[in-house]
Amino acid sequence: MKKEGSNKGLSRRKFLILGGFGVGTTVIGVYACAPLRRSAAKVISETELLKIKDFDPLVWFEISEDNNIIFYCPKVEMGQGVYTGFSLLVAEELDLRLDQIIAVPASSHKGAEDGASTGGSFSTSTLFEPIREVAATMREMLLSAAEPILGVEKSQLMVEEGLVIGKGKSITYAEIARQTSDWKVPKKSPELKPASSFKLIGTDVKRVDLKPKVMGEGIYSLDAEMDGMLYAVTLSSPYFNGTLKSVDVSEAENYPGVTQVINQDGLVAVVAKNRFTAEMGIRRIKAEWDVPRLWQQKEIEEHMTVGNGKAVNIQKEGSVKKVFKQNADEVITAEYRSPIGIHAQMEPNGGIAHVQGDKATIITGTQSIHQVVNYIQEELDLEAENIEVTNTYMGGGFGRRIYRPKVADAVKISKIVGKPVQVFTTREEEFQAGYYRPNNHHVMKAVVINGSIQAIEHHQASDAMYVNNAAPAMRSFLGGDLPSANHCATVFYPINHRSTNIYDIQLPFHTGPWRAIGAWLNCFPIESFMDELAHSSQKDPMAFRLDHLQGDNENVGRMRKVIQTLRERSKWDQKERAGIGKGFACIKDRKTYVATALEIELVEGQVKVLRVTSVVDAGIIVNPEGARTQVEGCIMMGISAALYEEMIVKDSQFVASNYHEYGLATLKDTPEMDIILLDSNYPPSGLGEPPISPIAPALANAIFDLTGNRLRNIPLRPEEENI
């Protein structure tokens, strides 16, 4: 199916089109004044990003000779199952079987351009309706094209599993495509199937990318090759605040197999005919580094402390100050800390670049093709149409693949050597010179009288996770990283007097997004503190939350329902045998409501998670099987982050150099899981991130339930607290 003509006459629904953090520009213009910053925080927390402007079906789809639909997916598949979910949407409106859809990644030259990147749990929530509409438009175009071929009026035709059928005649989509050069685009947007007519949406299906991945046929960027490709490894500072003082590359230049050593404008790289030789060559480079200060772990924690710098208020309901003053002897205070974290994803970061004159070809696994294109445009002064970026499967994303440092190096090196060059980080570089989740410090305060919270206050100290790299001006205007690090920092419970202050503190190393961004950081102190307040009031923690979820609005109603369902499904009120602790926590994130309960025991002083029950209201669920696996992944990653993961600083270096020095959950940590997806008529909302956030506070609360000791620092290690 080839594109002919233009889609300019295409009439469509009004899609919400907001640009990356171009939305930030709008927000800044409106909300830069301090009194309105709180409104900005609310707007940003609810904003979903969609920046796809081309909804022409001829851009999104092709019809293969064997009558399958090739779907150029604008969102990258990084393990979240988006190929499967989106294929269900396409198949639903085109009346196809799922196996008739072949999802492939869109590139900068093929498929619809996505300017919003893949992340933030926005994919399904933002494209649920647009993808169906593009598919429905294609259906109408096929029916219109079939009318003269079959000699049957369009009103008498229908589609069924890749055929247009009417009055005893039929023709395949592929046959229509072969005989059609002038496609008629409907002037009005076609009607979409109502939810009551869904045949595929809402059914359990296996992932469409399951077989190629299991059989080793799926292509990741590390698997990709170009003819004549060389391999390069770059030199990185072993100190996060180090700069190159001097370098001796003579030994590397003489290492057998090394084709070139580059030492140019701060870029030092060894180029060879294979990866192993390049790695051996880089180890023979002698470098000296200027390190202005040797940071230690204690200094990093003291630096990241509430009260350092300027407090910026992002939530103010009622007067917390007045309530605290009137009840000065009743103010309860608690402090919490979370550590520096690293992604530790399986596949390192990098890609292949081939720069030829005024053209550049890139193969990589990136969450943001448009950012790669923009970078190359600036770096090489090339026209965008001369830059082709092809995406691949990714061995883990979680925000880490928003960045492009190694692709940038590959572009520079390819331009120097005149050949295709593959550049990837070593595992040690990922641990020692990557992007990190910032450590946080939180102070929670509240006054509780007769079991009712009269006022509550949250103070968060954090470095930025996204705006520092993508929109630094936004940070200075808003006083923090409201879209990312400060996400979910405000108190959700409709308490009359509540306040949230943030302290934006810059760390001396690169910080970036980590799964669930600020929601994970902020859910731990808020939900741990709610548990503390419940126990101080001698109330059941779950009942205590429900007591503070009063009012007639959607937020309260949906959260109450997930908690009430959890209470029954987790058998919360059932008394467990001695030695078992129970914990509970909840969150609203990305318009998704999650409540989680878990049971633990201590084995030789270490936490063993026995059972996790998670209830989720994420609106309409496209593929329940895929949704459950998302929740399962969140549970395991949440257990790992809460119990094991921690980057320690010593002399401006991270102590963990590789997996063997960085604690991670393993298969033996897998608990029994019970995941309940509530039936809902609300539009789909985010699911890739929200279920991870309640795990850490639920674990801390379970440890308290079991031992009577409150752990307020992640990782939660009762064995180190002599509990």
Side-chain angles (χ1 to χ4, degrees):
M1 189 177 186
K2 295 181 179 179
K3 180 179 180 179
E4 298 288 346
S6 167
N7 69 333
K8 291 183 179 178
L10 194 59
S11 173
R12 304 200 180 285
R13 291 183 175 84
K14 288 184 178 179
F15 298 119
L16 174 64
I17 301 176
L18 295 170
F21 281 95
V23 66
T25 306
T26 303
V27 173
I28 288 169
V30 177
Y31 296 107
C33 298
L36 296 177
R37 187 180 289 113
R38 292 186 286 272
S39 297
K42 190 176 294 183
V43 170
I44 290 171
S45 68
E46 296 289 333
T47 298
E48 295 179 333
L49 304 178
L50 173 60
K51 194 180 179 183
I52 295 177
K53 297 178 181 177
D54 196 337
F55 293 96
D56 186 340
L58 299 172
V59 173
W60 289 61
F61 303 117
E62 288 185 338
I63 301 175
S64 68
E65 288 294 329
D66 53 358
N67 205 35
N68 289 321
I69 299 296
I70 300 171
F71 163 48
Y72 290 92
C73 185
K75 297 293 184 183
V76 62
E77 174 61 69
M78 50 188 178
Q80 80 278 43
V82 72
Y83 279 9
T84 307
F86 283 4
S87 293
L88 283 169
L89 303 181
V90 172
E92 188 73 73
E93 295 295 339
L94 278 170
D95 210 335
L96 294 166
R97 302 186 312 274
L98 186 60
D99 63 4
Q100 292 177 287
I101 308 291
I102 301 172
V104 298
S107 73
S108 61
H109 278 37
K110 199 79 173 179
E113 179 186 353
D114 176 23
S117 309
T118 303
S121 297
F122 295 139
S123 296
T124 301
S125 60
T126 56
L127 288 172
F128 177 72
E129 186 169 313
I131 286 178
R132 290 167 55 213
E133 184 166 353
V134 176
T137 302
M138 181 181 179
R139 179 190 67 218
E140 295 304 309
M141 293 164 68
L142 286 164
L143 289 170
S144 296
E147 182 176 359
I149 298 173
L150 295 179
V152 180
E153 290 185 5
K154 182 182 174 185
S155 60
Q156 303 296 311
L157 297 173
M158 59 179 289
V159 295
E160 183 178 321
E161 294 192 357
L163 297 173
V164 173
I165 301 170
K167 288 197 169 183
K169 299 180 179 179
S170 68
I171 186 171
T172 67
Y173 292 175
E175 290 170 332
I176 295 171
R178 278 194 290 271
Q179 298 179 48
T180 304
S181 58
D182 184 19
W183 292 92
K184 294 180 180 178
V185 181
K187 295 180 180 179
K188 293 184 178 179
S189 298
E191 292 295 325
L192 302 181
K193 281 187 178 180
S196 58
S197 299
F198 288 161
K199 296 178 181 177
L200 295 172
I201 296 173
T203 61
D204 284 322
V205 298
K206 293 181 180 178
R207 295 176 59 124
V208 297
D209 55 336
L210 181 64
K211 183 178 177 182
K213 288 182 175 177
V214 170
M215 299 303 291
E217 298 165 351
I219 298 298
Y220 294 77
S221 55
L222 201 55
D223 303 318
E225 294 181 347
M226 289 187 188
D227 290 341
M229 184 175 79
L230 297 174
Y231 298 78
V233 175
T234 59
L235 183 70
S236 296
S237 170
Y239 304 94
F240 51 66
N241 56 341
T243 54
L244 191 60
K245 181 179 180 182
S246 65
V247 61
D248 177 359
V249 301
S250 56
E251 190 176 344
E253 287 176 325
N254 294 321
Y255 188 79
V258 170
T259 60
Q260 190 170 346
V261 177
I262 296 169
N263 181 11
Q264 184 174 313
D265 299 328
L267 172 65
V268 178
V270 172
V271 186
K273 291 185 177 179
N274 59 66
R275 170 83 180 182
F276 178 79
T277 301
E279 286 197 22
M280 293 302 102
I282 205 77
R283 294 182 186 183
R284 281 153 178 82
I285 288 179
K286 298 179 177 65
E288 291 185 286
W289 304 92
D290 274 325
V291 186
R293 174 179 175 178
L294 293 176
W295 285 84
Q296 309 302 329
Q297 178 67 23
K298 186 178 180 182
E299 294 171 324
I300 292 289
E301 292 178 3
E302 290 174 348
H303 181 62
M304 184 57 70
T305 295
V306 167
N308 289 342
K310 180 183 176 183
V312 175
N313 182 265
I314 61 171
Q315 181 185 36
K316 185 179 182 182
E317 305 283 344
S319 178
V320 170
K321 187 177 180 181
K322 183 178 179 180
V323 176
F324 282 4
K325 185 176 180 181
Q326 292 173 341
N327 303 274
D329 294 336
E330 303 295 329
V331 177
I332 301 170
T333 302
E335 297 185 33
Y336 305 85
R337 286 191 181 273
S338 54
I340 304 165
I342 192 170
H343 291 80
Q345 77 272 9
M346 290 297 291
E347 186 191 31
N349 285 273
I352 304 169
H354 191 195
V355 180
Q356 297 172 286
D358 63 349
K359 295 182 179 179
T361 305
I362 312 295
I363 302 175
T364 186
T366 176
Q367 292 176 247
S368 180
I369 283 180
H370 76 280
Q371 286 199 33
V372 174
V373 172
N374 291 343
Y375 166 77
I376 297 171
Q377 270 189 282
E378 295 174 6
E379 181 69 22
L380 301 181
D381 193 25
L382 300 181
E383 298 295 330
E385 57 265 28
N386 289 339
I387 303 167
E388 182 170 9
V389 179
T390 299
N391 227 334
T392 64
Y393 286 133
M394 295 194 303
F398 313 118
R400 176 68 176 89
R401 295 182 192 279
I402 288 287
Y403 306 112
R404 56 187 184 279
K406 291 305 168 187
V407 173
D409 288 343
V411 168
K412 294 174 185 174
I413 296 169
S414 175
K415 186 178 180 182
I416 293 170
V417 303
K419 291 185 177 181
V421 176
Q422 183 215 67
V423 180
F424 275 85
T425 53
T426 62
R427 185 68 66 192
E428 289 76 13
E429 279 183 298
E430 286 289 321
F431 275 81
Q432 294 288 310
Y435 287 79
Y436 305 88
R437 184 190 66 215
N439 55 314
N440 266 211
H441 178 231
H442 305 258
V443 177
M444 300 292 307
K445 296 182 178 181
V447 169
V448 183
I449 298 176
N450 296 326
S452 174
I453 301 174
Q454 303 301 301
I456 187 167
E457 188 173 67
H458 176 208
H459 299 264
Q460 180 205 12
S462 179
D463 197 350
M465 302 176 85
Y466 186 83
V467 297
N468 48 331
N469 301 294
M474 187 178 184
R475 181 179 193 175
S476 58
F477 273 100
L478 294 178
D481 182 12
L482 304 191
S484 195
N486 310 127
H487 179 61
C488 290
T490 55
V491 177
F492 169 79
Y493 297 92
I495 295 163
N496 290 336
H497 305 279
R498 48 187 164 150
S499 174
T500 299
N501 294 320
I502 58 172
Y503 294 80
D504 182 39
I505 299 172
Q506 293 190 34
L507 291 162
F509 48 82
H510 292 301
T511 56
W514 194 87
R515 194 172 190 173
I517 50 174
W520 186 87
L521 297 168
N522 290 301
C523 187
F524 173 62
I526 293 174
E527 283 298 298
S528 293
F529 193 55
M530 288 295 290
D531 198 77
E532 294 201 48
L533 298 181
H535 284 283
S536 71
S537 304
Q538 298 183 328
K539 285 206 167 188
D540 170 77
M542 209 175 280
F544 186 76
R545 307 302 208 289
L546 291 171
D547 288 345
H548 289 87
L549 286 167
Q550 301 296 327
D552 184 21
N553 63 63
E554 179 184 325
N555 279 335
V556 166
R558 294 178 75 178
M559 184 61 86
R560 285 185 65 86
K561 187 174 181 180
V562 296
I563 294 175
Q564 289 165 338
T565 304
L566 180 72
R567 183 169 205 124
E568 178 181 351
R569 189 65 175 252
S570 68
K571 299 179 181 177
W572 179 258
D573 296 312
Q574 179 176 302
K575 188 175 181 179
E576 299 296 336
R577 61 178 170 83
I580 303 294
K582 288 184 174 181
F584 155 74
C586 59
I587 193 170
K588 179 208 170 190
D589 177 23
R590 308 296 183 194
K591 300 181 181 179
T592 292
Y593 303 78
V594 184
T596 300
L598 49 79
E599 299 168 16
I600 66 161
E601 64 180 356
L602 296 183
V603 179
E604 298 180 351
Q606 295 187 334
V607 175
K608 171 69 176 175
V609 185
L610 301 174
R611 187 169 189 268
V612 178
T613 306
S614 188
V615 179
V616 180
D617 175 359
I620 295 171
I621 301 294
V622 176
N623 177 18
E625 172 64 18
R628 283 189 288 271
T629 58
Q630 282 283 290
V631 180
E632 289 172 357
C634 280
I635 289 171
M636 287 306 298
M637 196 166 176
I639 290 173
S640 184
L643 297 182
Y644 299 107
E645 298 185 38
E646 179 183 28
M647 291 293 276
I648 298 293
V649 170
K650 183 180 180 182
D651 296 335
S652 283
Q653 294 179 302
F654 293 102
V655 172
S657 63
N658 208 323
Y659 282 133
H660 69 290
E661 294 175 319
Y662 188 71
L664 288 164
T666 61
L667 281 177
K668 68 179 177 58
D669 296 292
T670 307
E672 177 186 347
M673 301 185 201
D674 186 15
I675 295 160
I676 302 97
L677 306 173
L678 292 185
D679 290 334
S680 176
N681 293 322
Y682 288 99
S685 49
L687 193 58
E689 296 173 315
I692 192 176
S693 297
I695 299 297
L699 272 167
N701 299 339
I703 292 169
F704 177 81
D705 180 59
L706 178 61
T707 68
N709 291 285
R710 180 68 63 179
L711 300 187
R712 300 189 180 93
N713 296 336
I714 294 174
L716 304 167
R717 291 170 176 162
E719 69 275 19
E720 295 180 1
E721 302 287 337
N722 295 318
I723 294 175

